[in-house]
Amino acid sequence: MASPKLHDFRRIVVKVGSSLLIDSHAGEVRADWLAALAADIAELHRGGRDVMIVSSGSIALGRSRLKLPRGPLKLEESQAAAAVGQIALARTWSEVLGAHDIGAGQILVTFQDTEERRRYLNARSTIGKLLEWRAVPVINENDTVATNEIRYGDNDRLAARVATMASADLLILLSDIDGLYTAPPGSNPDAQLIPVVESITAEIEGMAGAAGSELSRGGMRTKIEAGKIATSAGTHMLIASGKIDHPLKAIADGGPCTWFLTPANPVTARKRWIAGSLEPKGTLTIDAGAVVALRAGKSLLPAGVIRVDGQFARGDAVVVRGPDTHEIGRGLVAYDADDADKIKGRSSSDVMMILGITGRAEMIHRDDLVVGTAPA
Ligand code: GLU
């Protein structure tokens, strides 16, 4: 299969590792390289694409700011170093994107934020709002609070989860190598770059080895793990070299890289997940007008809901039924059952008054809704 083109994608996550971003001797940000990357990001952004960055570097930067000696850090030491480094990291991104008139929004996530449905919906809607405002979310793991048992520990897999959470159609892992090789290229002169991986087989996994540099946690292995997460959820992934200036432009110009293709697209993959694998916790009965709106691809608003049954929590799956009780679809509801009951039939602008908080305008957002799960 031919490789896709960078410009075909509309929502792109770019993962930048510590070893690219931070000079390992000086312990400081590689400013010229980063400025060139920011120019590439600005170019994609100008073209109307949503761009998100997953950036490592907090521990490495904190370490140099605190003048800590070389060598491995204990968990609490790396957490404290991250606390110092993350401030510097966020400031750096804010400045380099600001130079292109792009606002950067810092998001620090933990494993639970991406895996627990309620928190997942929160993180996802914050990211969605930033993108709507044309800001660029800059995401890292919240290293200062994440302990070993509950952390990702590597930003490759974190970036893959963020990409699937935000329904991105492409994840780019900038690496110190330009892609996946048939054998370790350093020690094997016959090693060949694999341009396209159509599915991650045991053979592909075998090629990944275990390498990783001192500064970055991930080697090829965590990148392949990331590839599995991304491609199974409808996100294409590519690994390309970040060692050159303007690495994204190089990809756009057809430079060397490895594509990991997904057979699905993110919205259909997500919808399949909603339709198939979730146990509905309740039912929303909606009026005829809302049935028409949903079938036309719109979100479900509180105004269209006439009855709420079941004890569900925000983020749970619910069945949506028409006035004649036929199933119209299924979706992830944005309110707890009690709140949903209070705001049913009301306009979105009344929601604030009734609940005393500014909630979501939708009862079920159209991205979280699958219409036509059962014959009408
Ligand atoms: N979150 C870590 C940091 O910012 C990096 C994890 C990784 O390098 O993959 O230092």
Side-chain angles (χ1 to χ4, degrees):
M1 199 189 283
S3 345
K5 298 272 170 285
L6 188 58
H7 287 98
D8 294 341
F9 295 93
R10 58 166 187 95
R11 184 168 284 186
I12 302 173
V13 176
V14 181
K15 184 258 171 180
V16 185
S18 305
S19 58
L20 294 174
L21 198 62
I22 317 287
D23 180 303
S24 60
H25 297 293
E28 275 309 317
V29 171
R30 296 171 58 221
D32 292 346
W33 176 83
L34 183 60
L37 174 63
D40 286 3
I41 290 168
E43 175 67 29
L44 289 173
H45 188 263
R46 253 194 311 277
R49 287 174 196 81
D50 295 335
V51 186
M52 281 167 271
I53 295 164
V54 172
S55 175
S56 312
S58 66
I59 299 173
L61 262 183
R63 183 179 196 130
S64 72
R65 296 285 157 104
L66 290 161
K67 303 190 172 45
L68 302 179
R70 282 182 176 269
L73 295 176
K74 294 202 198 78
L75 177 64
E76 68 272 20
E77 291 171 338
S78 43
Q79 289 183 308
V84 172
Q86 185 60 38
I87 291 183
L89 188 63
R91 176 180 176 171
T92 301
W93 279 109
S94 170
E95 283 174 358
V96 295
L97 293 172
H100 296 274
D101 217 15
I102 298 172
Q106 169 175 269
I107 303 195
L108 299 178
V109 292
T110 59
F111 186 79
Q112 286 92 332
D113 293 325
T114 59
E115 304 313 300
E116 273 169 32
R117 213 173 313 133
R118 181 186 258 278
R119 289 164 68 165
Y120 173 104
L121 279 192
N122 280 331
R124 200 163 71 94
S125 47
T126 305
I127 290 173
K129 187 50 79 181
L130 283 169
L131 295 173
E132 195 185 308
W133 286 340
R134 301 300 294 142
V136 167
V138 178
I139 302 151
N140 195 2
E141 185 157 19
N142 196 347
D143 290 314
T144 52
V145 298
T147 55
N148 269 342
E149 306 76 56
I150 54 156
R151 72 202 290 246
Y152 279 97
D154 71 86
N155 274 7
D156 293 322
R157 289 179 308 140
L158 174 77
R161 283 302 279 142
V162 164
T164 63
M165 183 166 84
S167 304
D169 45 10
L170 178 63
L171 165 64
I172 300 177
L173 300 181
L174 292 179
S175 168
D176 49 11
I177 185 164
D178 50 11
L180 178 67
Y181 279 78
T182 50
S187 53
N188 189 334
D190 295 330
Q192 298 207 339
L193 179 77
I194 304 171
V196 178
V197 172
E198 281 183 40
S199 80
I200 299 174
T201 57
E203 192 193 357
I204 293 289
E205 289 193 61
M207 292 170 189
S213 72
E214 195 204 330
L215 217 48
S216 64
R217 282 161 206 286
M220 199 45 82
R221 188 169 294 281
T222 56
K223 293 186 172 43
I224 300 292
E225 289 302 320
K228 286 195 210 162
I229 295 169
T231 58
S232 64
T235 303
H236 290 294
M237 184 177 96
L238 80 76
I239 300 176
S241 174
K243 297 204 97 161
I244 48 174
D245 278 353
H246 293 289
L248 301 180
K249 183 173 180 306
I251 298 167
D253 292 345
C257 62
T258 301
W259 286 90
F260 293 79
L261 302 183
T262 175
N265 79 49
V267 176
T268 48
R270 181 177 166 70
K271 292 201 169 186
R272 197 176 316 127
W273 174 71
I274 293 170
S277 59
L278 298 173
E279 185 63 32
K281 295 276 168 41
T283 303
L284 301 180
T285 306
I286 63 174
D287 64 22
V291 173
V292 174
L294 259 50
R295 293 212 165 116
K298 304 258 170 56
S299 297
L300 176 62
L301 302 178
V305 178
I306 47 186
R307 194 187 149 123
V308 174
D309 294 288
Q311 267 315 314
F312 50 83
R314 169 172 153 66
D316 278 342
V318 294
V319 175
V320 179
R321 295 186 186 280
D324 56 0
T325 76
H326 271 115
E327 179 166 333
I328 305 297
R330 289 172 186 222
L332 304 183
V333 64
Y335 288 93
D336 295 342
D338 291 349
D339 286 346
D341 195 52
K342 284 187 205 140
I343 61 172
K344 69 173 189 289
R346 306 298 290 262
S347 72
S348 299
S349 53
D350 285 350
V351 169
M352 160 86 179
M353 211 179 64
I354 298 165
L355 299 181
I357 47 154
T358 319
R360 316 268 169 230
E362 303 88 13
M363 185 77 92
I364 304 178
H365 189 276
R366 63 191 160 95
D367 286 353
D368 296 330
L369 188 68
V370 192
V371 176
T373 41

